[in-house]
Amino acid sequence: MAKVIPCRQCLGCGEKKEKTELIRIVRGTDGYYSLDETGRMNGRGAYICKNPACFDAAVKRKGFERSFKESIPADVISRLKGEFEDLGQK
Ligand SMILES: [Zn+2]
């Protein structure tokens, strides 16, 4: 029997993919943004393909602003981007 894997939409390219192919970015209840490798962190989340190009596209399209309903400071974006790229190299 096929296992049903929930799909989420990438903020960058807009494609729907299985959660395992995406990285979750979460805003914790304290307002701190982080990458959620386990997919179990509390807070509001958004998904992006494991592809730095999609991260950049999400920034350009203001996908983060739309998902989290607030603007994200540039230094937070660059920190997340760094963490994102580290993840991609694992
Ligand atoms: Zn994507």
Side-chain angles (χ1 to χ4, degrees):
M1 203 170 86
K3 211 173 145 191
V4 177
I5 300 171
C7 288
R8 292 289 183 274
Q9 193 172 22
C10 168
L11 279 187
C13 62
E15 276 181 47
K16 288 206 172 106
K17 299 199 175 185
E18 292 174 4
K19 277 174 83 174
T20 52
E21 291 180 57
L22 301 163
I23 293 176
R24 183 170 183 246
I25 293 172
V26 69
R27 189 185 66 181
T29 46
D30 56 359
Y32 187 80
Y33 286 90
S34 46
L35 299 186
D36 177 11
E37 289 181 65
T38 63
R40 293 193 198 94
M41 286 171 68
N42 285 326
R44 192 177 175 81
Y47 293 84
I48 297 183
C49 301
K50 293 174 180 169
N51 180 354
C54 283
F55 188 99
D56 289 338
V59 173
K60 269 194 213 125
R61 295 171 56 176
K62 304 211 176 290
F64 294 114
E65 279 87 343
R66 267 184 283 136
S67 282
F68 296 109
K69 301 197 177 7
E70 67 176 21
S71 60
I72 304 177
D75 59 323
V76 174
I77 294 283
S78 60
R79 174 177 57 81
L80 289 173
K81 174 104 193 279
E83 292 176 13
F84 191 88
E85 285 172 346
D86 286 348
L87 265 188
Q89 279 155 20
K90 273 183 195 166

